[in-house]
Amino acid sequence: FTDLPKGVVFVCIEKWDNYLHLEVRDNGYPLPPNFEEITKETLGYKLIRTLVKQLQGELKILDKEKSAIQVLVPLEMLEARN
């Protein structure tokens, strides 16, 4: 957000049918076209992918122009961990 007047991060967590829906987006720069290739080896992205995999969820890049990602996790996976 260095060249922007104000950085905003939007986080939404809600229940969609039988899923926990997490969406994170910001008003920063668009994701680069090769975002997945350049981040696949970073610790942060590895942690996110590992957690989503353990919870049998789905990770999607919703909008590269708005830097938005979505994670869907079956509620049964969360309930089974309690």
Side-chain angles (χ1 to χ4, degrees):
F1 300 110
T2 55
D3 297 337
L4 298 173
K6 186 175 183 180
V8 177
V9 177
F10 169 81
V11 179
C12 177
I13 301 174
E14 55 191 358
K15 183 179 171 186
W16 283 7
D17 297 322
N18 294 320
Y19 290 90
L20 174 75
H21 169 256
L22 167 67
E23 184 176 326
V24 181
R25 64 177 63 232
D26 66 36
N27 69 334
Y29 296 106
L31 298 175
N34 59 341
F35 171 76
E36 290 160 71
E37 182 63 32
I38 62 176
T39 59
K40 73 179 181 182
E41 296 303 319
T42 65
L43 179 60
Y45 204 61
K46 282 182 182 180
L47 289 171
I48 292 168
R49 286 193 330 259
T50 300
L51 178 61
V52 170
K53 184 178 178 179
Q54 286 177 351
L55 295 172
Q56 296 178 10
E58 257 182 77
L59 174 64
K60 292 182 183 178
I61 297 174
L62 294 178
D63 186 347
K64 289 187 177 184
E65 291 299 310
K66 303 282 187 193
S67 299
I69 65 162
Q70 170 184 278
V71 175
L72 290 173
V73 177
L75 288 176
E76 65 190 33
M77 290 305 300
L78 299 174
E79 293 164 354
R81 296 192 176 262
N82 286 330

